[in-house]
Amino acid sequence: MAEKKWTMMVVPETHWDREWYLTFQQFRHKLVALGDNLLHIMETDPRYEYYVFDGQTVVLEDYLQIRPQNRGRLADLVKAERLFVGPWYVLPDEFLVSGEALVHNILLGHKIAAEFGRVMKAGYVPDPFGHVSQLPQILAGFGLDSALFMRGVGNELDDLSNEFWWEAPDGSRVLGIHLINSYCNGANLGQERWAGPVSAHQPVDMDMALQRFEEERSSLSQKAATSYLLLNNGCDHLEPQPELPDIIEYANARIESMEIVHSHYEAYVEAVLSEVGELGTVRGELHSGKYWPLLSGVYSARMHLKQANERCQTLLEKWAEPFCALAWLTGASYEQSFLWEAWRQLLRNHPHDSICGCSSDQVHREMMPRFWQAQQIGETLLESATQHLAGMAQVEAPETAEGCVCARQVVVFNPSNWRRSEPAVVHLSGAVASDSVPLNVVVRDASGTVLPSQIVHQDVRECRWFANAAIPEDKLAWQAQVLLPAEVPPLGFAAYSVVTEAAAQACPETDIAAGSNWIENQYVRVAVQPNGTLQVTEKASGRVYDGCHLFEDTEDVGDEYDYSHAANSMTITSAGTAARISLVERGPLQATLQADLVLQLPKSASEDRRSRSEQAVACAVTTRVSICASSPRISVETTVDNQARDHRLRVWFPTGLNVAHCYAAGHFDVIRRSLDLPDAEGWCQQPQPTKAMQGFVDVNDGEHGLALCAVGLPEYEVLRTNGGAVIALTLLRSVGWLSRGDLITRPGNAGPKLPTPEAQCLGQHTFRYALVPHQGGWLRAQMWQHAAAEKAPLRAVATDLSGSGAHTRLSFLQVEPTELVVTCVKKAEREEALTVRCYNISEHPISGRVSAYRPIERAELLNLNEEPTEELSVSGGGDVELADVPGRRILTLALYFGES
């Protein structure tokens, strides 16, 4: 018999969307039936050798919560290398979560899979809506040598095979495997391809299975780099086919051109690597819809979910985890289990049908309690950690005048690895005898120098029994929010004293000035025009950015997956709107203008969805524009009372710059993106101009630039106009359907056609973002620092002035230079060490140094799974030198300290 030319490796699997058009509990009922059936098949038929549980481990938790007695049975199959679990905890959308969330996701997946005996070492990412540029480096950092995926390919593979080297910005690479015929190309063998669950007992037609094998061989072999072809025997929520061994035996006896084997992804990757010769290389993100719809409208569906996710990620990554670790270094206990519970709650919201906002209304209602629980845990742990660390601080208690209502030490914390000099908000309270509120607050630094301060808000109210036990029942409670000018060292604190006085004192001057419709400092001047738009002047160059913050509203007759304009499109702007302008803060630390206007918007799309309705509704908009002393950043808070349906609301920022590219913060990366859309003839879905960012987007010509930093608002577009590039930030997208098949921007449905009235996002929404005019490029302007300050403002803790600490300011950890951006500080998973992760945000190699408030005794370089790869030298002074860190390289370190 002639040797068979092809080997088709059949991998039985299921793609398990934890929640989607059904709720988690409804899908879990099906999951438990699948798990029970799978155990029966694999334990009673040794010919059914392998099964892959979708690359996730959360399904094990979900199943075992109902069937705890089956844990040992599952573990036996995992240890026997028959059931493959991990490497992920959940299969996430990549663009809508942070880089650290991706790392923590795989780290948790590895932890859980290891508890069952083994982790699947294949980078299985079948269905996320595109893939980020650093995914190869992240996968490789966990010892995963491959990425098997379906969506995201554009013209990159036109001259390449479906197997290729996929390279990250730092040069790391994995074997990319494009599932060009989907992760479902072998579903329901011997049945109609989309026949539904096998449990429905559809009969198997062996000859129909033969035909499927031949069709897939003919298709896949056209772009195969080796003689190995992959057939995925499964799809969304499909149960295993018990007849698979019989189908394979039947086919092998009748097909002469190929051998068919029951296999798994690790074996397939190993087979391809053993045979492959020269392969082409693809670099960077995969974000196109040539073969499969990309569904990028999810970046703005149900924006409140993106904002809640940003809050939780920031809390865990920048505050709770690092400051719990720093407190542990100084003798506090480290609540690792609590931190992982917070991460679990957050990560369960990261699957693409969840964080993307493309599920039923009930599914998205149930996401919010997970966000709340993650936030509750994070805030509780952070309060404990900062109170512990604040005990190390001490400033000299100032003299207090008679009648002083409040005298406190304020300890301000900085989560960044660079010195931050900016106002911090502290909440103060005290007891007063009357309802008189005009109290003066005096802030002093550690040397006793009086600093400028600003009362943002204060009031006096009756004290409730649960509000403040320190206030006597015969007194009233005075409460205030006060701004103080903090200067805090990297990953550390600075201490100040705050006392109240009845008589006002002269406040030190700053560079803030303000008028009825303008505010300025030494860097920028902002004037609000009659229609509410902003005229921004960068003082160093004299460059003026006019017409900023123009509202643009267009109909959206799309669905949760994709924006779509109507056949008869109508765009409305705020250009002709009259705004009511007021100065609400005049300094000395912060000046704020407020612009109130009303947008008259069509009530909805027309009944035939080809235009907008003639009936209008009023949508009130309030925008507060603030600048702080000695900062070029212009912070904006916009509140919209959305009463309109079927529309997309954006805000425009004209740059006046004629450029071909913009720069967007990504995952351990800053991505240079062309403003031109690719040639897309014959694509499944035409390219969309909206993109995702992680913190900022910058437009510059090398000499001048304008950047936009956004908090929980991931979708932007940079438009080319006759006047230059315009940054458009999406605030809100209102739609009423999970999926529809009549979009102009996408062919066919992307999911069930279900109404989702809550995706219209009616009601009040508040959005935060900032504008930064600058000279040079984003790197020279250190734009990541502005984005970090906007996302994670300094935090202040008020403590007693009678403490026994020894430090007026203290930096616990320093990673220099600032281009080595710290993204993670935590206690190591398996060692008594501090884990620190950073990456080189620049494109060029740089050398750096890591030091701490006490000498480092030993240091190791780790992979992302926190396994040691290299011993690092430590200087006599207890510092770690980092030599020639490649551009965009992620480094994870373990730092060991002696007894304190």
Side-chain angles (χ1 to χ4, degrees):
M1 179 181 294
E3 182 177 349
K4 295 189 176 184
K5 182 177 180 181
W6 303 99
T7 299
M8 180 167 284
M9 305 180 80
V10 180
V11 178
E13 48 87 15
T14 190
H15 176 56
W16 201 263
D17 297 303
R18 197 167 180 263
E19 55 192 10
W20 183 17
Y21 53 90
L22 299 181
T23 65
F24 160 62
Q25 294 294 355
Q26 289 169 317
F27 270 133
R28 178 155 70 173
H29 188 266
K30 298 174 182 294
L31 174 68
V32 171
L34 183 154
D36 292 347
N37 190 28
L38 176 65
L39 285 170
H40 173 74
I41 292 170
M42 298 195 78
E43 290 174 344
T44 58
D45 186 353
R47 299 177 305 153
Y48 200 103
E49 297 178 90
Y50 309 114
Y51 192 80
V52 176
F53 229 147
D54 200 29
Q56 306 185 71
T57 54
V58 70
V59 289
L60 300 174
E61 292 182 335
D62 294 341
Y63 174 80
L64 290 173
Q65 192 174 23
I66 305 300
R67 296 279 193 268
Q69 69 272 20
N70 289 342
R71 183 183 180 91
R73 297 169 69 188
L74 289 172
D76 288 344
L77 291 171
V78 172
K79 292 172 187 174
E81 299 187 22
R82 295 183 64 198
L83 178 61
F84 292 83
V85 296
W88 297 86
Y89 180 59
V90 301
L91 287 174
D93 179 84
E94 295 168 29
F95 284 92
L96 288 173
V97 305
S98 69
E100 273 303 325
L102 294 176
V103 172
H104 280 70
N105 190 334
I106 307 180
L107 185 60
L108 181 56
H110 273 61
K111 282 168 61 72
I112 294 171
E115 292 170 1
F116 282 81
R118 191 176 184 278
V119 184
M120 182 176 77
K121 285 295 187 176
Y124 189 55
V125 282
D127 200 29
F129 306 157
H131 303 279
V132 299
S133 63
Q134 287 282 29
L135 187 62
Q137 186 176 182
I138 294 171
L139 294 176
F142 282 94
L144 305 170
D145 58 1
S146 58
L148 298 91
F149 68 96
M150 182 178 81
R151 300 184 199 270
V153 168
N155 296 327
E156 300 94 339
L157 297 186
D158 282 359
D159 299 319
L160 303 179
S161 62
N162 285 328
E163 301 81 25
F164 57 94
W165 295 121
W166 184 16
E167 191 173 284
D170 77 317
S172 304
R173 69 179 191 178
V174 296
L175 177 67
I177 297 170
H178 183 211
L179 306 176
I180 191 171
N181 289 352
S182 91
Y183 56 85
C184 307
N185 63 334
N188 299 106
L189 287 170
Q191 302 167 339
E192 293 299 325
R193 189 178 293 259
W194 308 118
V198 178
S199 58
H201 302 297
Q202 301 92 352
V204 172
D205 184 326
M206 290 294 187
D207 291 328
M208 184 185 292
L210 289 184
Q211 183 178 355
R212 178 84 66 81
F213 287 135
E214 290 286 10
E215 289 172 352
E216 288 297 314
R217 178 201 57 75
S218 176
S219 173
L220 294 174
S221 63
Q222 295 178 31
K223 293 201 70 176
T226 72
S227 62
Y228 295 97
L229 309 176
L230 180 62
L231 194 76
N232 298 274
N233 177 229
C235 200
D236 299 5
H237 307 111
L238 287 192
E239 293 195 15
Q241 274 194 278
E243 303 91 347
L244 181 61
D246 295 330
I247 294 171
I248 291 175
E249 182 178 346
Y250 184 88
N252 277 327
R254 289 162 177 79
I255 296 178
E256 297 182 357
S257 61
M258 62 180 169
E259 179 185 8
I260 300 171
V261 297
H262 188 161
S263 192
H264 52 87
Y265 295 125
E266 287 181 0
Y268 173 72
V269 170
E270 183 180 355
V272 171
L273 288 174
S274 71
E275 187 179 294
V276 74
E278 293 293 325
L279 284 180
T281 298
V282 172
R283 295 175 177 85
E285 63 184 353
L286 297 172
H287 191 256
S288 300
K290 183 169 184 175
Y291 298 95
W292 296 94
L294 189 65
L295 313 177
S296 59
V298 297
Y299 301 153
S300 51
R302 302 184 192 254
M303 195 67 88
H304 67 283
L305 298 177
K306 283 66 169 175
Q307 293 175 294
N309 183 63
E310 184 84 272
R311 286 193 295 271
C312 288
Q313 284 182 163
T314 300
L315 174 61
L316 295 183
E317 296 170 18
K318 305 302 181 186
W319 290 109
E321 205 168 56
F323 282 89
C324 283
L326 297 176
W328 166 76
L329 273 185
T330 65
S333 61
Y334 186 76
E335 297 285 0
Q336 190 173 64
S337 296
F338 262 121
L339 284 165
W340 271 122
E341 176 60 20
W343 273 109
R344 267 184 167 87
Q345 294 294 341
L346 177 58
L347 291 171
R348 287 172 184 167
N349 282 343
H350 284 186
H352 56 252
D353 295 306
S354 302
I355 191 59
C356 288
C358 53
S359 296
S360 69
D361 286 342
Q362 182 62 30
V363 162
H364 295 303
R365 288 188 210 114
E366 294 174 6
M367 288 176 64
M368 293 310 298
R370 296 179 207 138
F371 285 132
W372 297 335
Q373 290 178 61
Q375 192 159 3
Q376 291 160 12
I377 294 171
E379 291 288 357
T380 301
L381 295 179
L382 176 60
E383 181 181 9
S384 177
T386 51
Q387 286 289 345
H388 173 86
L389 294 171
M392 301 175 67
Q394 184 63 57
V395 293
E396 185 176 346
E399 294 184 6
T400 57
E402 184 178 352
C404 176
V405 172
C406 179
R408 304 285 275 166
Q409 174 177 267
V410 175
V411 184
V412 183
F413 291 92
N414 173 11
S416 305
N417 66 300
W418 52 85
R419 182 183 64 83
R420 283 174 56 174
S421 181
E422 60 198 66
V425 178
V426 62
H427 297 266
L428 301 174
S429 62
V432 295
S434 70
D435 60 359
S436 177
V437 298
L439 295 171
N440 184 52
V441 173
V442 179
V443 176
R444 292 178 175 86
D445 64 14
S447 68
T449 302
V450 175
L451 304 176
S453 61
Q454 183 174 336
I455 297 176
V456 177
H457 173 76
Q458 64 173 329
D459 62 30
V460 172
R461 63 185 66 180
E462 182 181 347
C463 182
R464 301 285 187 259
W465 67 269
F466 52 81
N468 194 329
I471 298 176
E473 291 187 5
D474 61 340
K475 296 290 183 73
L476 298 175
W478 170 78
Q479 296 177 323
Q481 295 178 34
V482 177
L483 279 177
L484 59 91
E487 186 173 315
V488 192
L491 285 160
F493 66 73
Y496 303 84
S497 68
V498 178
V499 298
T500 58
E501 295 183 358
Q505 291 189 5
C507 185
E509 293 185 356
T510 68
D511 62 349
I512 290 277
S516 61
N517 72 330
W518 59 271
I519 51 179
E520 68 177 327
N521 60 20
Q522 62 183 299
Y523 294 103
V524 293
R525 187 179 194 275
V526 183
V528 180
Q529 306 301 300
N531 62 3
T533 60
L534 309 179
Q535 183 186 74
V536 176
T537 303
E538 187 210 1
K539 289 187 172 182
S541 66
R543 188 174 183 85
V544 176
Y545 298 91
D546 220 343
C548 289
H549 210 266
L550 176 77
F551 290 100
E552 174 236 36
D553 191 84
T554 306
E555 77 286 339
D556 190 341
V557 293
D559 54 23
E560 291 184 319
Y561 291 102
D562 279 301
Y563 162 82
S564 184
H565 58 277
N568 302 308
S569 184
M570 176 194 293
T571 295
I572 297 167
T573 76
S574 60
T577 304
R580 186 175 71 253
I581 303 164
S582 55
L583 177 68
V584 294
E585 292 179 309
R586 60 172 60 250
L589 293 178
Q590 178 173 281
T592 301
L593 291 165
Q594 180 168 310
D596 294 280
L597 56 86
V598 176
L599 294 174
Q600 295 290 340
L601 302 179
K603 183 177 181 180
S604 65
S606 61
E607 188 172 344
D608 63 5
R609 301 179 68 82
R610 294 180 57 81
S611 60
R612 307 186 78 169
S613 67
E614 295 181 2
Q615 183 180 355
V617 292
C619 297
V621 180
T622 297
T623 297
R624 293 169 69 96
V625 182
S626 301
I627 59 172
C628 292
S630 303
S631 173
R633 191 170 64 254
I634 304 161
S635 298
V636 183
E637 182 180 274
T638 294
T639 299
V640 177
D641 184 13
N642 180 43
Q643 297 300 316
R645 294 172 169 82
D646 308 321
H647 70 119
R648 180 180 69 180
L649 179 64
R650 305 196 296 184
V651 61
W652 281 27
F653 298 90
T655 71
L657 299 169
N658 292 305
V659 296
H661 297 85
C662 67
Y663 300 85
H667 301 69
F668 307 104
D669 194 9
V670 176
I671 305 147
R672 183 175 184 261
R673 288 184 176 142
S674 173
L675 304 190
D676 295 323
L677 297 179
D679 177 13
E681 183 177 354
W683 282 28
C684 176
Q685 184 177 17
Q686 290 296 299
Q688 300 301 304
T690 49
K691 306 291 182 184
M693 62 170 161
Q694 287 280 317
F696 74 84
V697 58
D698 184 85
V699 173
N700 73 80
D701 62 4
E703 295 184 11
H704 306 283
L706 189 66
L708 183 66
C709 306
V711 181
L713 303 172
E715 183 177 280
Y716 78 91
E717 178 184 351
V718 179
L719 306 93
R720 277 180 160 164
T721 71
N722 292 334
V726 174
I727 303 172
L729 177 70
T730 304
L731 301 183
L732 199 64
R733 199 164 71 81
S734 302
V735 294
W737 293 87
L738 193 158
S739 178
R740 292 184 64 93
D742 58 356
L743 277 62
I744 294 174
T745 55
R746 187 196 70 232
N749 272 296
K753 186 179 179 181
L754 294 177
T756 55
E758 291 177 24
Q760 296 284 6
C761 301
L762 299 178
Q764 194 171 92
H765 302 265
T766 298
F767 310 102
R768 285 178 44 225
Y769 40 98
L771 197 61
V772 187
H774 61 88
Q775 297 183 61
W778 66 266
L779 186 65
R780 173 182 165 187
Q782 298 182 313
M783 201 51 60
W784 69 95
Q785 297 189 16
H786 289 291
E790 200 66 24
K791 182 186 297 187
L794 301 177
R795 286 201 177 210
V797 173
T799 66
D800 291 337
L801 276 166
S802 58
S804 57
H807 304 276
T808 58
R809 62 180 54 239
L810 180 63
S811 174
F812 294 98
L813 181 70
Q814 305 91 47
V815 179
E816 302 170 310
T818 59
E819 287 79 6
L820 290 176
V821 181
V822 172
T823 62
C824 176
V825 178
K826 61 189 286 289
K827 183 182 178 294
E829 291 297 312
R830 295 175 284 272
E831 301 287 344
E832 295 299 299
L834 189 71
T835 296
V836 179
R837 184 157 37 254
C838 63
Y839 76 104
N840 178 1
I841 198 171
S842 76
E843 294 181 336
H844 308 291
I846 58 175
S847 295
R849 181 174 63 91
V850 180
S851 57
Y853 80 108
R854 52 191 251 233
I856 299 167
E857 288 196 346
R858 187 164 69 86
E860 292 177 325
L861 192 64
L862 308 177
N863 65 16
L864 290 178
N865 200 33
E866 298 192 17
E867 298 159 333
T869 61
E870 180 185 341
E871 190 83 14
L872 297 174
S873 62
V874 179
S875 71
D879 297 347
V880 180
E881 301 294 331
L882 303 174
D884 296 325
V885 180
R888 306 293 203 266
R889 175 64 55 86
I890 305 168
L891 293 182
T892 305
L893 312 174
L895 307 180
Y896 296 83
F897 298 85
E899 296 295 327
S900 59

